[in-house]
Amino acid sequence: MSKQKQLKVTLTRSMHGRLASHKACVSGLGLRRMHQSVTVIDTPENRGMINKVSYMLAVEEV
């Protein structure tokens, strides 16, 4: 059984004043406030959201 890769995503910049689609990507990843970290599964959908708002995030493999 193969274990799914996971990514630890941390919001490093504020969502204030961002495009609505960028805010939607951040909330879709489960982030609500600055410096909050969540662990998400490494899927193409999550990668797409991460790439779209990469300037606001810190990402590391778990």
Side-chain angles (χ1 to χ4, degrees):
M1 181 165 97
S2 66
K3 188 178 178 200
Q4 292 179 326
K5 281 178 39 176
Q6 295 195 333
L7 301 170
K8 181 181 176 186
V9 183
T10 306
L11 186 62
T12 58
R13 297 184 62 146
S14 173
M15 287 195 294
H16 184 73
R18 306 294 178 189
L19 293 172
S21 60
H22 289 201
K23 288 182 181 181
C25 285
V26 171
S27 63
L29 289 167
L31 294 164
R32 295 172 184 234
R33 61 188 73 86
M34 283 187 55
H35 308 295
Q36 179 186 7
S37 295
V38 293
T39 304
V40 296
I41 299 170
D42 189 5
T43 62
E45 295 83 5
N46 285 339
R47 279 283 182 175
M49 289 192 283
I50 289 168
N51 288 338
K52 189 169 188 176
V53 292
S54 60
Y55 67 97
M56 296 170 60
L57 304 174
V59 182
E60 43 187 288
E61 288 190 15
V62 177

